[in-house]
Amino acid sequence: MKTLSLILGASLLFSTFASAETNLPDRQTELPAHAKAASTEYLVPRDLATIPNTEFGNKVKQGYSLFVNSQTMRGQYVGNEQNCANCHMQAGMKANSAPLWGAFMAYPAYRKKNDKVNTYAERIQGCFKYSMNGVAPAVDSPELVALTAYSYWLAMGGLLDKYDMQSTQIPEMSDAVVQLGGKADSFVLPETIAAALPIEQRNKLAGRGYPKLAKSAQTPSIERGEIVYKQTCSTCHGDSGQGLKQDGVQSFPPLWGKGSFNWGAGMHRVNTAAFFIYENMPLGKSIQLSNQQAWDVAAFMNSHERPQDPRFTGDLKANQEQYHNHQGYYGKTVNGKVVGENAFPAEAVD
Amino acid sequence: MPMKNIFRSIIGLSALLLVQAPAFSATPPAAMVCESCHGTAGLGTPNLAPMLAGMDKDYLVEQINHFKNGNRKNPSMTSMVMTLATPESVQQVAAFFASLPAPTISNIEKRGDNVIITDPARKLVYQGDWTRNIPACATCHGPSGLGVAHFPRLASQHADYISNQLTAWQNKKRTGDKNNVMATIAQQLTASEIQHLAQYFAAIK
């Protein structure tokens, strides 16, 4: 833990943020999935209407707006038809839907894979690169400042209320502190909360990520998944996974194709998608599919082409071996075609 | 002289077209019966019939079929749709009303445009209430409730119609939605929320 603190301190002081654009470490490490916890344990963020009318409050508000309508960043940072809120229900507040409060409290996090401590801001940069098929805004950009401020606000409000400090205002913190994340030594929590939630516990908040789904009895099948898709999903996501768009506004997200998340995004993993789908789909209903159907439809969805993995440098096999040792179809042959060979352009920004 | 005659004929013909175009020439015979309640412009009549103008064609086809197969229960509509005997006539009527212009909305509001929303109905529209698993209405019904493909437009729809429908979803007089999503959401709404939501959407002009 001491070593980690030192690393963190060093990162803070010398700021490794700038290197984010020059290399592309595998930041999309699999989202940790745990068994579902009792709902009473989840953090419940405060009502958006309580965001103060201050400079800090305005950053929080902007973060919310960017989160639900990410298309305002289209062409600059966002290269597809996705909005953050497509995969994080209730504008990132909902437990078991990869809530921002759960992620915020889990960073900075040390990753064995790139031997680096990633800050929360850097984690969000990964979302832009992969899930949004775009180019990450700089850490000190208004967009990243806003998104991290919003995440912090959700987490802190939820924590204060959970620990019976409903009347305590959410402390306003500097951008630098907020961008590190809630697991940093320098992140100050009220004493009672700090005592109840030591640093090593903060990345395990109940409701973080998508709840783990038991393996299906049968190996996930693209063919069975197609049937599930047509029966259940196509009404909102379209016959060819293109989503639904009206008057230039993409209301339902594309699940594959050029407007979708790319081959580096966490959601391209069959298991992550199965966890998400089982718990969160259909919208407003949640858990409707059987365990097997969720796995099958996740396989079907993720067997289609999407934008290229931005880490791809021309050798599909090499990229697969380096970054795709997990449950997914990248580099594998489906219906006679190697998935990833016909991928759409990555970083589709102007 | 022949020139003058031709000129006269052109004027006569134009006048005829001008008079006939909006009211008659476009209305397919099968849709005539609909117009008595839904209006020649498809704008509906309060406390009688909803606005159909500009609705998605596939949505309208779906709804006519729901009346036919009993998924939607309404005594007058159940008998009215029986006049549309063939799938072609259903298509024709739906295409006709879909082609009529709906009132245009000047200030379209997207999710995220406003963060602090105090009006409870408007909050449901743009933010939902996830403690009851209610997503923002605008997620499926679009910015300002303008509709998204076969998810119908709610903006400037008659308030009585919207509240009747939400109640119909609750008491299962209206069914047939894919995955039962709208029925599930409607079950969560209180009577007062239904009234306020209906008024909110009706007032979007």
Side-chain angles (χ1 to χ4, degrees):
Chain A
M1 209 57 240
K2 278 268 154 54
T3 328
L4 181 61
S5 317
L6 279 175
I7 298 169
L8 289 183
S11 319
L12 178 63
L13 281 173
F14 304 112
S15 182
T16 52
F17 297 146
S19 65
E21 277 305 297
T22 49
N23 55 19
L24 287 167
D26 184 19
R27 273 201 206 100
Q28 298 297 94
T29 306
E30 187 172 325
L31 195 59
H34 309 281
K36 211 167 161 178
S39 62
T40 47
E41 292 178 42
Y42 305 148
L43 294 193
V44 179
R46 288 187 179 168
D47 195 307
L48 292 171
T50 65
I51 301 173
N53 220 348
T54 59
E55 199 187 329
F56 180 79
N58 290 339
K59 291 175 191 169
V60 175
K61 283 185 237 175
Q62 192 197 354
Y64 166 81
S65 294
L66 294 172
F67 200 82
V68 296
N69 185 8
S70 315
Q71 292 299 309
T72 52
M73 299 178 279
R74 184 69 180 273
Q76 189 183 11
Y77 302 126
V78 172
N80 60 18
E81 298 279 7
Q82 311 287 138
N83 294 302
C84 308
N86 291 150
C87 297
H88 307 266
M89 305 285 112
Q90 194 187 0
M93 299 182 214
K94 192 170 186 294
N96 301 314
S97 182
L100 291 183
W101 44 262
F104 178 81
M105 294 306 292
Y107 283 83
Y110 174 73
R111 295 211 178 285
K112 265 188 275 180
K113 213 159 187 168
N114 57 9
D115 193 27
K116 189 175 175 300
V117 173
N118 290 316
T119 65
Y120 181 66
E122 287 175 312
R123 180 62 187 81
I124 294 188
Q125 287 187 316
C127 299
F128 278 95
K129 205 92 208 163
Y130 302 104
S131 300
M132 313 306 279
N133 195 36
V135 169
V139 168
D140 58 358
S141 64
E143 289 81 2
L144 223 56
V145 166
L147 287 165
T148 49
Y150 174 55
S151 310
Y152 159 74
W153 185 85
L154 295 177
M156 190 57 113
L159 284 169
L160 287 170
D161 290 1
K162 181 173 174 147
Y163 292 94
D164 293 326
M165 285 178 264
Q166 283 85 350
S167 53
T168 305
Q169 280 198 349
I170 296 172
E172 303 200 349
M173 293 196 188
S174 73
D175 297 347
V177 167
V178 167
Q179 295 204 319
L180 275 177
K183 201 165 172 284
D185 283 349
S186 52
F187 185 76
V188 181
L189 278 170
E191 251 173 58
T192 13
I193 303 178
L197 206 58
I199 283 191
E200 64 276 13
Q201 293 295 319
R202 292 183 198 164
N203 59 351
K204 299 185 184 90
L205 290 182
R208 188 195 164 191
Y210 307 124
K212 195 167 189 162
L213 185 62
K215 279 194 174 145
S216 50
Q218 294 172 276
T219 311
S221 143
I222 297 173
E223 291 73 27
R224 281 194 310 266
E226 183 171 8
I227 298 169
V228 176
Y229 183 84
K230 285 183 171 158
Q231 284 173 345
T232 314
C233 319
S234 63
T235 190
C236 294
H237 294 289
D239 293 334
S240 354
Q242 78 278 21
L244 294 183
K245 195 173 186 168
Q246 178 97 31
D247 305 322
V249 178
Q250 186 82 35
S251 284
F252 295 91
L255 304 183
W256 62 85
K258 71 176 168 128
S260 191
F261 50 89
N262 69 32
W263 279 118
M267 197 58 86
H268 90 275
R269 294 169 191 249
V270 173
N271 50 340
T272 302
F275 301 165
F276 167 80
I277 293 166
Y278 180 81
E279 176 67 27
N280 293 292
M281 289 287 113
L283 187 73
K285 272 196 85 183
S286 189
I287 309 170
Q288 172 178 305
L289 299 178
S290 68
N291 165 310
Q292 184 71 51
Q293 285 175 318
W295 281 100
D296 289 345
V297 82
F300 173 71
M301 169 174 107
N302 285 335
S303 65
H304 290 87
E305 279 294 7
R306 51 184 66 264
Q308 186 55 271
D309 184 340
R311 297 163 298 196
F312 170 78
T313 52
D315 185 341
L316 194 69
K317 202 80 204 152
N319 199 49
Q320 181 199 14
E321 279 166 15
Q322 192 175 355
Y323 295 119
H324 290 259
N325 292 312
H326 51 244
Q327 232 179 324
Y329 286 98
Y330 188 80
K332 292 174 187 155
T333 304
V334 173
N335 297 325
K337 283 183 184 163
V338 179
V339 179
E341 271 186 355
N342 298 298
F344 298 91
E347 300 182 7
V349 294
D350 299 335
Chain B
M1 278 312 260
M3 198 59 210
K4 208 172 184 181
N5 279 342
I6 291 169
F7 199 57
R8 273 187 190 152
S9 312
I10 291 173
I11 291 178
L13 196 65
S14 314
L16 199 70
L17 285 174
L18 276 177
V19 171
Q20 294 200 338
F24 303 105
S25 65
T27 309
M32 299 275 194
V33 68
C34 316
E35 288 184 339
S36 51
C37 296
H38 292 284
T40 48
L43 294 175
T45 313
N47 300 310
L48 183 63
M51 173 180 84
L52 302 178
M55 286 287 175
D56 178 70
K57 185 196 153 200
D58 293 342
Y59 169 75
L60 292 176
V61 169
E62 219 171 34
Q63 300 316 306
I64 294 170
N65 289 328
H66 282 329
F67 283 118
K68 286 191 169 200
N69 64 26
N71 277 338
R72 287 187 71 169
K73 292 174 180 57
N74 176 289
S76 44
M77 275 309 290
T78 305
S79 54
M80 285 297 167
V81 294
M82 291 313 164
T83 65
L84 306 172
T86 62
E88 292 73 35
S89 59
V90 173
Q91 292 283 334
Q92 253 181 15
V93 167
F96 168 65
F97 284 107
S99 72
L100 297 175
T104 44
I105 308 298
S106 41
N107 296 311
I108 293 170
E109 182 174 350
K110 290 180 191 163
R111 288 191 66 207
D113 285 353
N114 290 290
V115 188
I116 311 289
I117 300 178
T118 44
D119 173 53
R122 187 153 166 255
K123 203 173 169 75
L124 278 175
V125 173
Y126 291 101
Q127 296 173 349
D129 179 0
W130 285 87
T131 59
R132 292 178 286 165
N133 250 344
I134 302 173
C137 312
T139 310
C140 300
H141 292 281
S144 292
L146 285 170
V148 178
H150 54 273
F151 292 86
R153 170 177 167 142
L154 303 174
S156 50
Q157 183 56 275
H158 301 293
D160 66 276
Y161 175 74
I162 298 176
S163 60
N164 283 342
Q165 293 313 303
L166 286 170
T167 313
W169 283 116
Q170 286 190 330
N171 59 29
K172 299 189 172 54
K173 283 194 173 145
R174 182 169 179 172
T175 55
D177 58 331
K178 208 70 184 280
N179 295 320
N180 216 25
V181 166
M182 194 58 231
T184 308
I185 293 167
Q187 297 294 344
Q188 301 296 327
L189 297 171
T190 66
S192 146
E193 281 171 335
I194 287 177
Q195 290 311 317
H196 286 110
L197 281 169
Q199 280 154 16
Y200 179 81
F201 282 117
I204 299 177
K205 305 252 190 229

